Amino acid sequence: MKALFVGNVAADTAAGIRDELPAELQVEIVADPKQLRAESAATADILVTNIWRADYPPAPSARLVQSVATGIEWIEQDALPRGVAICNAYGHETAIAEYVLMVMLVWSHRFREIEAGFREDSSWAPSWVHSGAPHGEIRGSTLGIVGLGRVGREVARRAAVFGSRVLAANRSPREPGDGVERVYPLTALDEMLPLCDTVAICAAHGPETERLIDARRLGSMKRSAFLVNIARGAIVDEDALYAALCDGTIGGAAIDVWWQYPTAAEPQRRGSVHPFHELPNVIMTPHCSGWTAGMVRRRWDEVAENLRRFTRGEKLINLVTTI
């Protein structure tokens, strides 16, 4: 049996789990998909990757596609043989939840502004020393979580410990708990948004969530509201968000997921056609909220476990779909 690891993330995964895999499992690593040979793809029983495209060589023997990420939107299912199982990997919930709480704290405490002013100009203006305007705190604020899955639940638990009121909206029914006071159906999102001081987008991207946060919904939020997107860029209307941040429709945003990503031709490509980087009310990071050493190890272990299960003919974990 052969496992073919394709792409740089898959190659790193292979190096990290090689000692955990059955000795009888043949492993081939192709870090650069441009170097993928027809013979390599044709003889693979398992494809380990987060990208599989229609222009890759056919993989007619593949029976498992093990993603090295949670999202599978870059795996073109029409290019795979019928009957193949597609599994994903998690382990990122803790890291992303910590990121959401971190940016909430940084924003409410005006941390960047105050720290920069004191560092650069020795400014005591925000302090009691000069009777400065007090900064905020997240205790007593209302957090609305859009998408109450694994990440959303972890965010809720942490926010509740900080004393925030937590609401949520989800596509399928969910029970309150883990700090969540009320769960709205996604169709009632318009009821929840005006109540929130912070809105965290934690939903999966799909037809129901494409441009879910548009100009109308941004306009329904508090003018002081802070939007955090750690899910997928396409869930938020790109043009509408930029306009809302420019004209003060909402107070600010933390953006970790984008509408554009690097290419071989543009390795430093900006994440948007708009200059979000010029806006003072934006915290921006390059899709790295979940990319911690702990997450990498947890995800590697999940991938290794699934490959062991597959070789033994056991039930797979994290099964997303079977084509």
Side-chain angles (χ1 to χ4, degrees), residues 5-321:
F5 290 73
V6 180
N8 63 305
V9 179
D12 292 341
T13 302
I17 68 173
R18 189 66 187 90
D19 293 341
E20 300 179 51
L21 299 179
E24 66 272 19
L25 182 64
Q26 179 187 351
V27 171
E28 182 176 352
I29 302 168
V30 181
D32 182 358
K34 293 178 181 178
Q35 305 301 317
L36 180 58
R37 298 179 296 113
E39 180 184 357
S40 299
T43 55
D45 302 284
I46 305 169
L47 303 175
V48 184
T49 185
N50 63 321
I51 302 173
W52 192 264
R53 295 174 19 180
D55 59 355
Y56 287 2
S61 300
R63 290 178 288 146
L64 169 63
V65 176
Q66 174 62 60
S67 176
V68 290
T70 303
I72 62 167
E73 66 269 26
W74 290 341
I75 296 173
E76 297 184 19
Q77 298 183 24
D78 290 344
L80 297 167
R82 300 306 91 187
V84 69
I86 302 178
C87 297
N88 62 359
Y90 291 93
H92 61 302
E93 302 93 326
T94 294
I96 294 180
E98 289 185 2
Y99 176 96
V100 173
L101 267 293
M102 175 182 70
V103 295
M104 287 175 64
L105 290 165
V106 165
W107 179 257
S108 63
H109 285 254
R110 304 203 320 268
F111 183 81
R112 294 188 307 162
E113 168 198 335
I114 292 172
E115 196 273 344
F118 194 54
R119 176 185 297 274
E120 296 168 10
D121 303 317
S122 191
S123 172
W124 292 80
S127 169
W128 62 270
V129 173
H130 286 171
S131 299
H135 55 74
E137 57 190 25
I138 64 174
R139 178 183 178 182
S141 68
T142 298
L143 167 65
I145 299 172
V146 182
L148 196 59
R150 298 193 190 202
V151 171
R153 285 286 186 190
E154 291 297 318
V155 172
R157 292 187 186 104
R158 287 160 176 77
V161 170
F162 274 82
S164 294
R165 178 193 185 203
V166 184
L167 307 174
N170 199 68
R171 282 181 286 189
S172 56
R174 290 279 194 277
E175 291 297 320
D178 294 324
V180 181
E181 177 183 307
R182 179 178 176 185
V183 182
Y184 294 79
L186 198 61
T187 53
L189 180 62
D190 293 339
E191 295 179 36
M192 185 186 82
L193 291 178
L195 306 174
C196 302
D197 299 293
T198 300
V199 176
I201 309 299
C202 302
H205 178 227
E208 289 179 89
T209 57
E210 176 84 17
R211 290 188 178 87
L212 181 70
I213 307 300
D214 56 11
R216 181 182 66 79
R217 287 197 165 115
L218 288 165
S220 75
M221 294 165 60
K222 296 180 180 181
R223 290 187 69 82
S224 58
F226 182 56
L227 180 72
V228 182
N229 191 5
I230 51 77
R232 287 293 183 267
I235 296 175
V236 180
D237 185 291
E238 181 179 7
D239 299 334
L241 179 58
Y242 182 74
L245 291 165
C246 286
D247 65 19
T249 297
I250 64 172
I255 310 171
D256 186 56
V257 288
W258 297 90
W259 301 271
Q260 298 182 159
Y261 279 77
T263 64
E266 291 184 88
Q268 300 298 115
R269 189 185 191 194
R270 291 281 186 187
S272 172
V273 295
H274 297 295
F276 281 92
H277 58 283
E278 295 178 357
L279 301 182
N281 55 346
V282 175
I283 298 171
M284 52 192 298
T285 48
H287 202 152
C288 63
S289 61
W291 195 248
T292 64
M295 183 284 293
V296 170
R297 185 68 259 174
R298 290 188 292 272
R299 188 164 286 182
W300 284 354
D301 290 342
E302 286 192 358
V303 172
E305 173 64 15
N306 237 10
L307 268 56
R308 290 193 297 267
R309 286 174 177 242
F310 184 82
T311 58
R312 296 193 297 252
E314 297 174 358
K315 183 179 180 180
L316 299 171
I317 60 172
N318 302 332
L319 177 65
V320 178
T321 188

